[in-house]
Structure formats: structure tokens, C-alpha cells
Amino acid sequence: MPDQSQHSQGKKRRFWAITAAVVLLAVILARYMTRSVVTVRMAAAGPGELISTVSTNGKVEPIHNFAAYSPRQGTVRAVYVHEGQKVAAGTLLLTLDDSQASSDVASARAAERGAQAQLQALQQGGTRSQQIALAGNIAKTRAARDQAAATLATLQRLQKQGAASASEVANAQQTLAAENSSLQTLLQQQSKSYAPIDLEHAEANLANAKAAYSSSLDVLNRENVRAPFAGTVYSVLVRPTDFVQAGDRLLQMANLREMQIRAYFDEPEIGKLKIGQPVTIVWEAEPGRVWHGHVMRTPTTIVGYGTRNVGEALISVDDANEELLPNTNVTITVTLLDLHNVLLIPREALKLDDDGNYVYQVVNGHLRRTPVKIGSLNLTEVQILSGLSQGDIVALSAPDGSPLRAGLAVRRAE
């Protein structure tokens, strides 16, 4: 009996051992089978719009701006406009006390006329009294010359008759030569009474006098400020009787229909900018409003702007309509890319190695490496030019981080 009991217990132990081995093998097989099929996220290639933008800050400024500054220290006499007023070209905006400027203009004008008269007198042989005196000297010297010639002729006849000595003839010849020399000097003075350096000096004096007159006239004109073009006065900084220093700003006006924005783009974005790209503009003071424009000038250098390295670009405002004010801070968005009805896949699916761009296409439950040619892209999508067709399925990534490889069996993640 004991032998039968021991035999029965041995059979039971073998049974449970075999059962445990089968279960363990089943578990191992199940785990192996489960691990051989990787769950991945997938997407289908399909048509869509590919849009890429970049946003930054900028400051609004007029294209045609006029700022009036005080040409000298003085008092504001009158202000004829107020902020927000529209004015026509030539409108008198503001006047300063111009009594000193008027006096300076008169003095400068007199100095100019004096310099002009001095130059003319030099070119014409002197003043009227100088010309009369010179003519008298010429007549007197000519008469003396004629008398010396007659005396010489008489002495030469007497010498032939033995009545005059050779020394007397020689002295008469010297006297005639001296009178001829004096007459030639006076005649030259009458025809050209100035040296070239004298003329240059007189001409320089006249040029300086004209410049001084023009400068004083400009100061007088700037003390009576007029609108150089039609526009809107948007800043008036003084009132009547205010005392101002030379260089103080008095007022500003601009054509608010023609505005631009000076925008600042971070260095990595500069290469994406092109002239003519469309731009949208928003201003926090007008929520819900959108203005439009385009890139007018791309950055030409990099500058420090706070903690940023930026390039400065100019953006036109195509529909300002006198609604955007000068010096306001706005946010602009440049559309770098706007493609329609192109074949797209998520950018996450795109891979790159030494052989070029490729994706893992899902074919019959397995991954297949498929080379692709790409076009434009943004942060989330990429345009496929060749290699895939609409509806093709591509693998993105495994939720558990498992690496993807060609030939891997996969199923779609729920």
C-alpha cells in the first residue's frame, strides 16, 4: 500500500510540474508574440494647406513726418492748431517772437549789398570818385609825356646845329621814357585795376554775405512754422508765452494715411523674410481690429534690442485710414508660406540620414522605409513632392518609446 501511495504522489508532482512548464512556456510565448508587434501612432498622407507665420513686435511711424524745432531761444508768440487737427499745405501752425530774426535779416541783407558793391567797384576800376581821379592823372601824365617828346625833338635839332650838348639830349630821352612808363601804369590800372587775389577775396566776401543772409532768412521762416504738406497735427508741445531753447521740439504733424512699422525680428527668423510677404497687424488698444500690409524692406544688419539680437525691417500699412497713431506698439504677423491643396504628412513622420529624407510607411502591418522628396514645411507639417500618394499610411512614433525600424510588425495605437 505504501508503494502505491508514493507512486500516486509522484504522478501528481510530475503532472503539476508539466502543467507549470506549459503555463510558463505559454506566458513566455505570449510575451514574445506581444513584443514582436509594436503599437505605433500613424497618420495618412493627404491634401491640405501649408501655412507658416512668424510674429514679432514693432512701432508705428509716419512715412511723411514733420517736426518743428525752435531755431533759437525765444518766446512762443501764438499757436494756431491743436492736436488731431487736419491742416492743408502751407497752413500757419505756430509763430515765435521774430523781432530779433527780422533785425538779423535786415543786417545780413545790407552786408550782402555792400559786398556786391565792393566787388563791382573792383571789377570796374574802383568807385566813381576813384575813376574820375584816375582819368585826371592819365590826362596829366599824357600831357607831360607829350611835352617831354616835344622837348626831346627840339634838343635833337639843336644838337645837329651844335647848339645843344649830348648830355642834354640824353636827359630829355630819360624824361620821356619816365613819362611813358607812368602813362602805361595808369592805363593798365584803368583797364584792370585789381590783382587776381583781390578779386578772389571780394568774391569770397560776397559768397559769405549771401550765406549769412540765407541763414538769417531761414531762421526767420522757421520762427513762422507752416505745414509743408497736408496732414494731421498729432503733437503740440508748447503754448503761447512759453520760453523755448534752441533745438526744442515745438510740434509734429504727419500724413496718417501713409504709415509704416519698424519691426524687430529675432536673428534666426531673418533669413525667412522676403520683400512683398503679406502681414497682419493688431493693436491692443483696438481689440478685434486687424490691419494689413507687406514687407517693404528686410533687415540689413543685426543689432542688440534689450536681451535680443534682432534685425530691423520696414512693414508698410496698406489700410491705415488714419486709425493707427504714430509711436504706438503693435504686433505683426508675417505669412512666410501659404500653400493650398498640397500633399502633407506630419513633420514627426519625416526622418533624415546620410541617404536623405525618408519615412516609415505602413504596408500590410509592417514598416517599410520609403525615400521621399519634400517641399516646404512648417513646425507641424511637411509637403511631400514624391515618394507617397494620397492615403498612404506613415508611422509617427511608438507611445512607449520603442525604436522604429524597417520590417517591424506594427499595429495602430488607439
Side-chain angles (χ1 to χ4, degrees):
M1 293 295 294
D3 292 338
Q4 292 181 349
S5 175
Q6 292 176 354
H7 180 70
S8 176
Q9 290 177 355
K11 290 177 64 176
K12 289 180 179 180
R13 284 194 296 269
R14 286 194 298 273
F15 171 76
W16 287 114
I18 293 172
T19 301
V22 171
V23 171
L24 180 60
L25 182 60
V27 171
I28 293 173
L29 185 60
R31 291 187 64 185
Y32 175 78
M33 294 297 293
T34 302
R35 291 186 63 185
S36 65
V37 179
V38 178
T39 300
V40 298
R41 296 167 46 246
M42 304 178 186
E49 297 179 353
L50 187 61
I51 299 175
S52 178
T53 62
V54 60
S55 296
T56 190
N57 63 300
K59 180 167 287 189
V60 178
E61 60 184 34
I63 294 177
H64 302 292
N65 185 68
F66 169 69
Y69 296 88
S70 175
R72 63 198 306 165
Q73 67 177 19
T75 304
V76 178
R77 176 182 292 174
V79 179
Y80 302 104
V81 293
H82 56 79
E83 291 182 352
Q85 181 175 339
K86 296 181 180 180
V87 296
T91 301
L92 183 62
L93 309 176
L94 176 149
T95 58
L96 302 175
D97 182 5
D98 61 359
S99 55
Q100 182 61 49
S102 297
S103 175
D104 292 345
V105 168
S107 298
R109 181 59 175 163
E112 181 191 9
R113 289 176 176 174
Q116 181 69 54
Q118 183 180 8
L119 176 61
Q120 290 178 348
L122 188 63
Q123 292 171 333
Q124 295 173 3
T127 62
R128 182 60 179 166
S129 59
Q130 291 173 335
Q131 292 177 12
I132 292 173
L134 180 61
N137 289 335
I138 290 174
K140 185 185 298 183
T141 303
R142 182 176 283 115
R145 190 276 314 268
D146 293 344
Q147 179 62 43
T151 300
L152 175 61
T154 299
L155 290 174
Q156 286 174 338
R157 288 196 302 272
L158 292 175
Q159 184 183 25
K160 290 178 181 180
Q161 298 172 2
S165 65
S167 61
E168 289 177 317
V169 173
N171 288 336
Q173 288 175 336
Q174 291 177 358
T175 300
L176 178 60
E179 294 297 342
N180 275 326
S181 177
S182 297
L183 181 61
Q184 289 300 319
T185 299
L186 291 174
L187 290 174
Q188 289 177 358
Q189 185 177 355
Q190 186 182 46
S191 62
K192 189 175 182 180
S193 60
Y194 57 85
I197 192 171
D198 295 331
L199 182 62
E200 291 177 4
H201 183 67
E203 289 174 341
N205 285 340
L206 178 58
N208 290 337
K210 287 183 175 180
Y213 174 67
S214 177
S215 177
S216 62
L217 193 61
D218 178 65
V219 170
L220 179 62
N221 291 335
R222 286 192 289 134
E223 289 190 346
N224 295 272
V225 182
R226 295 183 179 274
F229 51 81
T232 302
V233 178
Y234 67 87
S235 176
V236 179
L237 304 174
V238 294
R239 295 178 298 178
T241 73
D242 281 355
F243 185 82
V244 294
Q245 298 290 341
D248 284 355
R249 185 182 296 176
L250 306 175
L251 58 77
Q252 288 180 278
M253 64 165 289
N255 181 353
L256 300 186
R257 290 185 176 275
E258 298 182 12
M259 307 293 282
Q260 65 185 15
I261 298 171
R262 202 167 293 274
Y264 306 96
F265 291 88
D266 290 320
E267 187 173 351
E269 307 294 343
I270 292 175
K272 303 174 184 178
L273 298 175
K274 299 291 184 294
I275 293 175
Q277 288 171 328
V279 176
T280 57
I281 305 151
V282 295
W283 180 26
E284 288 185 359
E286 291 283 350
R289 291 292 309 277
V290 177
W291 289 266
H292 303 84
H294 61 273
V295 177
M296 193 164 54
R297 189 180 73 195
T298 57
T300 56
T301 187
I302 304 298
V303 297
Y305 186 75
T307 59
R308 301 162 58 193
N309 288 327
V310 301
E312 184 180 279
L314 283 183
I315 309 298
S316 73
V317 184
D318 298 335
D319 51 0
N321 296 326
E322 300 186 345
E323 296 167 333
L324 282 175
L325 303 181
N327 302 319
T328 54
N329 294 305
V330 295
T331 299
I332 68 165
T333 301
V334 181
T335 300
L336 306 174
L337 188 65
D338 189 5
L339 301 177
H340 299 269
N341 197 30
V342 293
L343 187 63
L344 302 175
I345 62 171
R347 187 166 177 175
E348 185 181 0
L350 184 65
K351 314 296 180 185
L352 176 64
D353 62 13
D354 293 340
D355 294 328
N357 295 301
Y358 67 95
V359 298
Y360 285 120
Q361 185 178 357
V362 180
V363 180
N364 297 326
H366 292 77
L367 298 186
R368 184 174 72 188
R369 177 191 171 109
T370 302
V372 293
K373 182 179 179 181
I374 67 170
S376 301
L377 50 81
N378 60 18
L379 292 177
T380 59
E381 295 180 300
V382 58
Q383 179 187 11
I384 300 299
L385 300 178
S386 64
L388 294 175
S389 300
Q390 182 175 339
D392 287 346
I393 305 300
V394 294
L396 305 181
S397 63
D400 63 358
S402 298
L404 305 182
R405 66 180 186 278
L408 183 66
V410 296
R411 63 169 173 265
R412 183 185 294 273
E414 298 298 333

